[in-house]
């Protein structure tokens, strides 16, 4: 109960701050998310891999290995789309297509998952699943090649 009250207070404070100007001064957009991101997710299933965003709202590639916490471990390729609002919130739709079964039974047709996102910076995006009966959260961290790690 205390946690719910704290979340409500933080949300109300954020609304009050943004209401003072009548607009967001943050100015995020689709181009705020572009490049190759390392992805991790935890919840009903756990996954890790990469996601490639084109800066125009499309997931153009990536790979992921997913473990359902049981006997099923699947590798797959990613596609999909995303939106970004000026305040940094948005949505993510990821289409997972199995490319290899490591163990157990993996889906034979593409699986689509949906999430809410918030862009923290062009280098970091926080993700929270929105599909019923699938509890997921994770993050996307833009990768930097080793020879550019001072960026």
């Amino acid at each position: 109960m205390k946690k719910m009250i704290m979340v409500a207070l933080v949300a109300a404070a954020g609304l009050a701050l943004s209401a003072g100007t009548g607009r967001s001064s943050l100015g995020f957009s689709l181009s705020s998310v572009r490049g190759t991101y390392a992805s991790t997710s935890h919840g009903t299933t756990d996954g890790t891999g990469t996601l490639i965003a084109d800066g125009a709202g499309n997931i153009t590639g990536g790979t992921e290995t997913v473990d359902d916490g049981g006997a099923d471990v699947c590798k797959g390729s990613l596609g999909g789309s995303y939106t970004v609002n000026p305040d940094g919130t948005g949505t993510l739709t990821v289409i997972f297509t199995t490319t290899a079964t490591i163990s157990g039974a993996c889906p034979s047709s593409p699986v689509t998952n949906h999430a809410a996102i918030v862009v923290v910076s062009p280098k970091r995006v926080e993700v929270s699943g929105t599909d019923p009966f699938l509890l997921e959260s994770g993050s996307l961290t833009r990768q930097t090649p080793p020879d550019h790690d001072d960026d």
Side-chain angles (χ1 to χ4, degrees), residues 32-87:
S32 300
V33 180
R34 89 176 154 266
T36 302
Y37 290 79
S39 74
T40 58
S41 63
H42 304 286
T44 306
T45 62
D46 291 330
T48 189
T50 61
L51 179 142
I52 303 167
D54 69 358
N58 302 296
I59 304 304
T60 59
T63 61
E64 188 168 23
T65 301
V66 180
D67 182 344
D68 71 359
D72 305 324
V73 179
C74 312
K75 289 182 89 166
S77 61
L78 302 180
S81 61
Y82 63 94
T83 65
V84 177
N85 300 312
D87 66 355

Side-chain angles (χ1 to χ4, degrees), residues 11 17 26-27 34 43 49-50 52 59 65 72 77 82 91 94 111 117 123-124 131 148:
L17 288 173
L26 300 177
R34 89 176 154 266
T50 61
I52 303 167
I59 304 304
T65 301
D72 305 324
S77 61
Y82 63 94
T91 62
V94 175
V111 176
I117 64 171
K123 293 184 179 187
R124 195 173 104 216
D131 291 323
H148 294 96

Side-chain angles (χ1 to χ4, degrees), residues 70-121:
D72 305 324
V73 179
C74 312
K75 289 182 89 166
S77 61
L78 302 180
S81 61
Y82 63 94
T83 65
V84 177
N85 300 312
D87 66 355
T89 61
T91 62
L92 176 65
T93 300
V94 175
I95 302 167
F96 176 88
T97 303
T98 300
T99 58
T101 299
I102 297 172
S103 65
C106 296
S108 58
S109 59
V111 176
T112 302
N113 293 115
H114 304 88
I117 64 171
V118 64
V119 180
V120 177
S121 74

